[in-house]
Amino acid sequence: MRRNVPRLVIAAPASGSGKTLVTCGILAAMKKAGRRAAAFKCGPDYIDPMFHETVLGTPSKNLDTFFAGQELTRQLFLEDAAQADLSIVEGVMGLYDGLGGCTTQASTWDVARTLEAPVILVVDGAKSSVSVLALIRGFADFMEDRRVRGVIFNRVSPMRYPVLKAMTEEQLGIAVCGYLPKMEEIHMESRHLGLVMPGEIRDMKEQMERLGQTCLETLDLDLLEKIGAEAPQMEAAEAWIPGRVSAGQPVIAVARDPAFTFYYKDNLRLLEKLGAVLIPFSPMKDSRIPEEADALLLGGGYPELHGGELEDNVSMRRSIQDRLGEGMPCIAECGGFLYLLEELEDRKGKPYQMAGVLEGRSHYTGKLSRFGYITLTPEGGGDLLKPEESIRGHEFHYMDTNGNGEDLLARKPVTDRAWTCGHTSDIFYAGFPHLYFYSCVEAAGRFVRKAEEYGRKRQ
């Protein structure tokens, strides 16, 4: 069976060209025009999908060929794309930038190739004119599949745009789908190598409303939809759906507040497919872990920005100590891992007391401590992974600790550089790596079964 799934990948020559702005603008304009859109993000980034969700009010999720491979990436895409008039996939970095900085694997182009999707190239036209034609031609001709089907110019004036459009279409034969002017009133500030979270930006929804109205006037939505509809039918192979691993419905409490926000949507959905029920709670505001919880999921985020509130919530810290002490299963990634330590320092070196489940303290390094994709294998201790298993993940953190753990071996692709990390047992994982559960469904299933066992013991 094959399906018509109109789709576009929004790419750029490099980071900072305006991919997120253009993607959000297209999504907002489509919403204003009454068209149904589905949103996705290439790669492991958590924050850009939050901007998509702010615009649409519906989930945006990651598509990553390193994490999931090609066939599963297609299946996960179709889960959300099938009912949309147009699916918009925001790229990562430059169009061809992939693993190790020297391959196209897991690049935006690799995802576009996997989805057989046309690419719309976002080009910053603020500081050049005829030279942009050389750039566009280079990106269009670099791969034999010539996947670049259209261009959107960013940061150009209404007066310059017609000239750029005419030159591009006449000399290169590539469609120009519109432009965005310089929009000083749209503030998408950066933190580290990415954007700050939408909730931290004042009047974010109002800004997206203005962006959508502008894009209705400056982008050719009909042309974008036409190019998206020219994508070939996607083979709708019957999606592999993991079976339930529990007889009951174990409850997993998921930390959800300004300190803990980084979760892969497909991780959460997989836990539900395996039989778990997910409920949110706030380590910052709630007095304790929900009584009905059978397991704990502490995602990443920026706990160092909220150290005072986390420290002041003594009852929650004691609740986590008590429940984990009596055997509650727990997965704690990056920021969640920092919360389980004895102490956390903010960026100014001020220490705060944390949950104290693990020995050690964290500190701000002022630079990326570790960054990029990894594959994790057992190094000793615990049953999170069996000896023959591995799970894929990603690290991105400016914090470090004096106790990162030694139960797993993290190995980078391409360079093969490796180091030990993580604290594991048969009911516990805590460490800097963010895990991608679909890359080892068995480990995710074990977590759900352990939650069910803990729930039965408590009853």
Short mmCIF file of all heavy atoms in Angstrom, two decimals, residues 24 40 71 82 117 121-122 135 168 195 197 274 278 282 307 322 346 354 356 382 389 395 432 453:
data_model
loop_
_atom_site.label_atom_id
_atom_site.label_comp_id
_atom_site.label_asym_id
_atom_site.label_seq_id
_atom_site.Cartn_x
_atom_site.Cartn_y
_atom_site.Cartn_z
N CYS A 24 8.62 28.04 11.50
CA CYS A 24 7.51 28.52 12.32
C CYS A 24 6.61 29.45 11.53
O CYS A 24 5.38 29.44 11.69
CB CYS A 24 8.04 29.23 13.57
SG CYS A 24 8.75 28.12 14.80
N PHE A 40 7.97 18.50 12.20
CA PHE A 40 9.02 17.57 12.59
C PHE A 40 10.34 18.33 12.65
O PHE A 40 10.49 19.40 12.07
CB PHE A 40 9.15 16.42 11.59
CG PHE A 40 7.90 15.64 11.37
CD1 PHE A 40 6.96 16.06 10.44
CD2 PHE A 40 7.64 14.49 12.10
CE1 PHE A 40 5.79 15.35 10.24
CE2 PHE A 40 6.47 13.77 11.90
CZ PHE A 40 5.54 14.20 10.97
N GLU A 71 14.10 2.79 7.74
CA GLU A 71 12.74 2.26 7.69
C GLU A 71 11.91 2.72 8.87
O GLU A 71 10.76 3.14 8.71
CB GLU A 71 12.76 0.72 7.63
CG GLU A 71 11.38 0.09 7.47
CD GLU A 71 10.62 0.62 6.26
OE1 GLU A 71 11.25 0.81 5.19
OE2 GLU A 71 9.40 0.86 6.39
N ALA A 82 0.22 11.38 8.09
CA ALA A 82 -0.80 10.84 7.21
C ALA A 82 -2.03 11.72 7.09
O ALA A 82 -2.69 11.75 6.03
CB ALA A 82 -1.20 9.44 7.68
N ALA A 117 11.75 13.45 0.17
CA ALA A 117 11.08 14.74 0.31
C ALA A 117 11.83 15.83 -0.44
O ALA A 117 13.06 15.88 -0.43
CB ALA A 117 10.98 15.11 1.78
N LEU A 121 15.44 25.45 0.37
CA LEU A 121 16.66 25.99 0.94
C LEU A 121 16.42 27.43 1.43
O LEU A 121 15.99 28.29 0.66
CB LEU A 121 17.78 25.98 -0.10
CG LEU A 121 19.20 26.24 0.40
CD1 LEU A 121 19.69 25.08 1.26
CD2 LEU A 121 20.14 26.46 -0.79
N VAL A 122 16.68 27.67 2.71
CA VAL A 122 16.58 29.01 3.28
C VAL A 122 17.93 29.69 3.12
O VAL A 122 18.96 29.19 3.60
CB VAL A 122 16.19 28.94 4.77
CG1 VAL A 122 16.17 30.35 5.38
CG2 VAL A 122 14.83 28.27 4.94
N LEU A 135 25.96 30.13 -4.44
CA LEU A 135 25.69 29.29 -3.26
C LEU A 135 24.53 28.34 -3.53
O LEU A 135 24.62 27.13 -3.26
CB LEU A 135 25.39 30.20 -2.06
CG LEU A 135 25.14 29.52 -0.72
CD1 LEU A 135 25.65 30.39 0.42
CD2 LEU A 135 23.66 29.23 -0.51
N THR A 168 17.28 34.12 -9.66
CA THR A 168 17.32 32.71 -9.27
C THR A 168 16.52 31.85 -10.23
O THR A 168 16.99 30.79 -10.69
CB THR A 168 16.78 32.55 -7.83
OG1 THR A 168 17.53 33.37 -6.94
CG2 THR A 168 16.85 31.10 -7.39
N LEU A 195 18.42 27.65 20.77
CA LEU A 195 17.52 28.70 21.20
C LEU A 195 17.13 28.52 22.65
O LEU A 195 17.15 27.40 23.19
CB LEU A 195 16.26 28.70 20.33
CG LEU A 195 16.47 28.96 18.83
CD1 LEU A 195 15.17 28.70 18.08
CD2 LEU A 195 16.94 30.37 18.60
N MET A 197 14.12 28.41 25.46
CA MET A 197 12.83 27.76 25.31
C MET A 197 11.71 28.79 25.11
O MET A 197 11.79 29.91 25.62
CB MET A 197 12.56 26.88 26.53
CG MET A 197 13.48 25.69 26.59
SD MET A 197 13.21 24.61 28.00
CE MET A 197 13.87 25.62 29.33
N LEU A 274 3.96 0.22 25.10
CA LEU A 274 4.38 -0.96 25.87
C LEU A 274 3.46 -1.23 27.06
O LEU A 274 3.61 -2.24 27.73
CB LEU A 274 5.82 -0.77 26.35
CG LEU A 274 6.90 -0.78 25.26
CD1 LEU A 274 8.24 -0.31 25.81
CD2 LEU A 274 7.05 -2.17 24.65
N LEU A 278 1.37 7.45 31.51
CA LEU A 278 2.27 8.53 31.89
C LEU A 278 1.48 9.67 32.54
O LEU A 278 0.44 10.09 32.02
CB LEU A 278 3.01 9.07 30.66
CG LEU A 278 3.73 8.05 29.78
CD1 LEU A 278 4.50 8.77 28.68
CD2 LEU A 278 4.66 7.17 30.59
N SER A 282 5.66 17.94 38.94
CA SER A 282 6.66 19.01 38.96
C SER A 282 7.57 18.87 40.18
O SER A 282 7.12 19.08 41.31
CB SER A 282 5.97 20.38 39.01
OG SER A 282 6.93 21.40 39.25
N GLY A 307 17.81 26.22 40.55
CA GLY A 307 18.38 25.54 41.71
C GLY A 307 17.70 25.92 43.02
O GLY A 307 17.46 25.07 43.89
N ASP A 322 12.99 8.67 49.35
CA ASP A 322 12.26 7.55 49.96
C ASP A 322 11.80 6.55 48.93
O ASP A 322 12.00 5.33 49.10
CB ASP A 322 11.06 8.09 50.75
CG ASP A 322 11.45 8.89 51.98
OD1 ASP A 322 12.62 8.76 52.41
OD2 ASP A 322 10.60 9.64 52.50
N ASP A 346 25.02 26.51 40.21
CA ASP A 346 24.54 27.26 39.06
C ASP A 346 25.73 27.85 38.32
O ASP A 346 26.90 27.59 38.66
CB ASP A 346 23.53 28.33 39.48
CG ASP A 346 24.14 29.45 40.33
OD1 ASP A 346 25.38 29.56 40.40
OD2 ASP A 346 23.36 30.21 40.93
N MET A 354 20.41 19.08 46.27
CA MET A 354 19.50 18.35 45.39
C MET A 354 18.99 17.09 46.11
O MET A 354 19.04 17.00 47.33
CB MET A 354 20.19 18.01 44.07
CG MET A 354 20.52 19.23 43.22
SD MET A 354 19.07 20.08 42.52
CE MET A 354 19.03 21.59 43.51
N GLY A 356 20.04 14.00 46.44
CA GLY A 356 20.98 13.21 47.22
C GLY A 356 20.84 11.72 47.06
O GLY A 356 21.29 10.95 47.91
N GLY A 382 24.26 -3.91 36.75
CA GLY A 382 22.87 -3.69 36.38
C GLY A 382 22.44 -4.44 35.15
O GLY A 382 23.22 -5.07 34.45
N GLU A 389 23.41 -6.26 24.04
CA GLU A 389 22.58 -5.14 23.59
C GLU A 389 23.35 -3.82 23.57
O GLU A 389 24.39 -3.67 24.22
CB GLU A 389 21.36 -4.99 24.50
CG GLU A 389 20.36 -6.13 24.40
CD GLU A 389 19.23 -6.00 25.40
OE1 GLU A 389 19.36 -5.22 26.37
OE2 GLU A 389 18.21 -6.68 25.22
N GLU A 395 24.57 13.38 23.71
CA GLU A 395 24.99 14.24 24.83
C GLU A 395 25.14 15.67 24.35
O GLU A 395 25.60 15.92 23.23
CB GLU A 395 26.33 13.76 25.41
CG GLU A 395 26.24 12.46 26.20
CD GLU A 395 27.44 12.25 27.12
OE1 GLU A 395 27.84 13.23 27.78
OE2 GLU A 395 27.97 11.13 27.14
N PHE A 432 24.48 11.43 31.93
CA PHE A 432 24.33 12.54 30.99
C PHE A 432 23.67 12.14 29.68
O PHE A 432 22.92 12.93 29.10
CB PHE A 432 25.70 13.18 30.72
CG PHE A 432 26.08 14.23 31.72
CD1 PHE A 432 27.21 14.09 32.51
CD2 PHE A 432 25.31 15.38 31.87
CE1 PHE A 432 27.57 15.06 33.43
CE2 PHE A 432 25.66 16.36 32.78
CZ PHE A 432 26.80 16.20 33.56
N GLU A 453 6.17 -4.49 38.38
CA GLU A 453 6.56 -5.31 39.53
C GLU A 453 6.58 -4.48 40.80
O GLU A 453 6.11 -4.91 41.87
CB GLU A 453 7.94 -5.93 39.29
CG GLU A 453 7.94 -7.00 38.19
CD GLU A 453 9.36 -7.46 37.87
OE1 GLU A 453 10.29 -7.10 38.64
OE2 GLU A 453 9.53 -8.14 36.84
#
